[in-house]
Amino acid sequence: MYKILVSPILFLFDAESIHYFVCELLRFAFKIPFVPQILRSLYTYDHPDLVQEVAGLRFRNPVGLAAGFDKNAEMVDELEALGFGFIEIGTVTPRPQPGNEKPRLFRLKKDKALINRMGFNNKGAAVAAAKLANRKSKILVGGNIGKNKDTPNEQALDDYLICFRQLFDVVDYFVVNVSSPNTPGLRDLQEKEPLTALLRELQKKNKEKFNPKPIFLKIAPDLTLSQLDDIIDIVKETGIAGVIATNTTISRADLRTSQAEIEAAGAGGLSGAPLAHRATEVIRYICDKSNHAFPVIGVGGIGSAKEAIDKKNAGASLLQLYTGFIYEGPDLVKDICKSLVRK
């Protein structure tokens, strides 16, 4: 029904505007008696074989929602009813920021893809923390953290530490985002020396806590094999929990969309179906090269149960959706969970 009736109507409108409209509609509907129960009955699939123990956390199923959809932790309870096993909020920065100028989110329908240059638009870590403190559901929540656009890389650690402190009591795990292409200079922090220093200090503060939280690193799909080798070394050296592979790509190779439409959309990170193969390659390389030394959360181009299984077969411990969820609708989560049980 979603693909036949709903998405054709939604896709008539500006991508970012319709996103906010649908989110508001879901929040409104969730307040109506029995709607939460109806949503859970439609979209939730529980099975003992789906339960996953990863990084000391117990996930009810391995299919999560990637960061970017609920930047400010405003919809955790509503999204839990759609069957996800975990929700990742953010990317959150210490101070609120509006992000890049609009328009900044574009659909490439022929490719089942999105281009975004949102630029970490969010209301700040304090707002996200307050929202999470008041949530009702028990679903696991990850906090994806980044730096403000006007913070120089030399001071980036301070931003990550602020977010870490403000979110620590209300999230179950952290994700360090140094791989978005939409904040100038951010990807420079993926280089071995600055990244090791950043993660080492975060892990130091983490270990000072009575109950340390798993810290994951989100990486770009555009890294070379040599850089991926560095990532493996860094994860082992710093002792963080694992890796999320991958973020959006700056590549525009092999797209079916016309060059004119691609150029009209402009700069930004590409997500969705064109990223599926490369993301799976990165997952497989990291898992094989590290001898499965740490968990990898697979994300990038999952628009069907087959693509989810491909990433699990490549070594992913958990999965995340975003663009596939937009194109395929909420049935996708349930479809993947059922296929993983049958696998």
Side-chain angles (χ1 to χ4, degrees), residues 181-198:
N182 301 318
T183 296
L186 183 72
R187 285 190 167 192
D188 293 342
L189 294 174
Q190 289 184 120
E191 295 301 321
K192 190 168 188 178
E193 186 176 342
L195 184 55
T196 301
L198 172 64

Side-chain angles (χ1 to χ4, degrees), residues 55-76:
L57 299 175
R58 184 178 175 85
F59 295 80
R60 77 177 186 188
N61 73 60
V63 186
L65 181 65
F69 193 95
D70 187 13
K71 291 178 179 291
N72 300 300
E74 296 171 323
M75 297 183 59
V76 171

Side-chain angles (χ1 to χ4, degrees), residues 26-44 77-83 136:
L26 182 58
R27 280 197 291 267
F28 173 78
F30 209 74
K31 296 174 183 176
I32 301 172
F34 304 112
V35 166
Q37 293 90 332
I38 292 170
L39 291 174
R40 288 190 183 94
S41 69
L42 288 172
Y43 299 117
T44 297
D77 294 332
E78 291 85 347
L79 291 166
E80 181 272 341
L82 299 183
K136 295 179 175 61

